Amino acid sequence: MFSGLGQFAVGNDFDLYVQAGSPPTTTSFICRDANNTPLGFCEIPNPAPGTWHVLAARVGGAGSVQVTATTFSAPTCAGDCNGNGTVTIDELVRGVRIALAHGDTANCTGLDRNG
């Protein structure tokens, strides 16, 4: 269990299992980290909306478990008024109207990058 991880070489080992919609098991999961270390990591690109479940299964040793989830939002396109990831001709025209003082940035916050 002491796998030469320097400061992380502690006497416990937990495997991490993650699943959307229902609790994971050691045989049913979307992502797992079963390394022989006390630290685990799962990356799930484009996770589905809804409830996600985590299982930290003790493999060896003893101790507490802490689970931290971090989400990152997708980059936005300047001028993308409806947030769908593309900029349409209508949105470009709206941007020109705003630039010519014939519109309000409240109608398209994607055009107002710095407030």
Side-chain angles (χ1 to χ4, degrees):
M1 272 192 247
F2 298 97
S3 59
L5 293 173
Q7 65 181 353
F8 297 116
V10 294
N12 61 16
D13 180 19
F14 295 90
D15 288 350
L16 175 68
Y17 300 87
V18 181
Q19 177 132 312
S22 62
T25 67
T26 57
T27 57
S28 175
F29 51 86
I30 290 175
C31 180
R32 83 171 179 172
D33 185 326
N35 293 320
N36 187 21
T37 65
L39 305 175
F41 171 81
C42 271
E43 180 178 2
I44 303 167
N46 302 314
T51 302
W52 285 79
H53 301 266
V54 175
L55 168 64
R58 183 185 317 275
V59 176
S64 300
V65 174
Q66 176 180 332
V67 176
T68 303
T70 304
T71 60
F72 299 95
S73 61
T76 59
C77 297
D80 181 12
C81 298
N82 61 6
N84 69 352
T86 62
V87 179
T88 63
I89 297 296
D90 175 60
E91 290 168 324
L92 289 174
V93 170
R94 189 179 306 174
V96 170
R97 291 186 52 76
I98 291 170
L100 296 173
H102 295 293
D104 184 2
T105 56
N107 294 327
C108 182
T109 56
L111 289 168
D112 189 13
R113 288 293 211 189
N114 64 0

